[in-house]
Amino acid sequence: PAPGLQDHYIGAMAALAKRFTGDPSVTGYEIMNEPLPGLVAPAGLFDQGYLYPFYRRVIDALTGTRDGGVRPAGTSYGPACGYRDLGVHDTSHLFFVEPTATRNLTDVALGLSLPFTSYPNIVYAPHAYTHVFTLDTQVPGGVLSGLYPLGYSQAMETGDAEARAMGAALFIGEYGNSNSVDSGVLSSETAAMDAASVGSTLWAWKGNCNPGVSAAACEPG
């Protein structure tokens, strides 16, 4: 729809949405997996300054929601900018949005969680990797794991508060661990999600097929 990188990304999502508009077998679209700020801005400023405004533009383009001002094609976009209606008009699907991926290290968003769109079908979908990728795992021997995070429920409690603040539902878009700690980490993570009544999707579903594991070990049964 225009020459910029965001325009190309939005155009690709529009092509996808045109294919699946009205398809009841599709739950929705995750706009971006584990976004990172790179050198654009510190993680705490990236969400509201760049990431969520980009999510708004995607939603504007695909649904016809008009929440931000429209800039001429080929110009740069500021935090208040939306995007023109690309004629897809997919208003039956969910849009899954993630905060900056640094949340995987802290189990709490570093940036502010604020409303960014008036489209109602928004799902906040952070990842929960407590004691897998959180900062305590960077200290040998697990000496900090009893101090922070404050438990497996922390990711759910902070996620619920963040989702409510932006007017979204909560869904844990990704969690998982190596198979060797299923009995401790995986069982504790799923128990925390069950207690919070939060839906989720598991990553590393085929983790037993890591390099060095025989093909026979990966066969069903």
Side-chain angles (χ1 to χ4, degrees), residues 80-210:
C81 291
Y83 208 85
R84 69 185 185 280
D85 183 353
L86 293 183
V88 180
H89 298 158
D90 189 340
T91 57
S92 62
H93 285 124
L94 303 171
F95 284 86
F96 294 79
V97 297
E98 285 190 45
T100 308
T102 48
R103 192 187 192 280
N104 295 0
L105 309 178
T106 58
D107 276 354
V108 62
L110 299 181
L112 295 174
S113 301
L114 300 172
F116 62 94
T117 178
S118 62
Y119 183 73
N121 297 328
I122 300 298
V123 181
Y124 182 60
H127 295 175
Y129 282 112
T130 307
H131 302 316
V132 177
F133 295 138
T134 43
L135 290 172
D136 61 291
T137 61
Q138 303 302 309
V139 180
V143 295
L144 294 183
S145 295
L147 301 175
Y148 192 88
L150 303 177
Y152 287 92
S153 62
Q154 177 181 319
M156 318 308 152
E157 293 170 356
T158 56
D160 180 68
E162 291 155 12
R164 289 176 184 274
M166 65 177 62
L170 176 63
F171 182 83
I172 301 301
E174 195 175 299
Y175 75 102
N177 50 263
S178 62
N179 292 355
S180 61
V181 291
D182 277 357
S183 60
V185 175
L186 190 68
S187 60
S188 299
E189 197 78 80
T190 54
M193 288 186 284
D194 287 347
S197 299
V198 178
S200 60
T201 46
L202 177 68
W203 180 240
W205 62 274
K206 209 172 183 181
N208 61 335
C209 295
N210 288 333

Side-chain angles (χ1 to χ4, degrees), residues 54-76:
F54 171 65
Y55 290 159
R56 178 198 307 127
R57 289 190 274 278
V58 172
I59 295 167
D60 278 2
L62 272 59
T63 67
T65 305
R66 298 178 178 180
D67 282 327
V70 177
R71 296 290 298 274
T75 58
S76 57

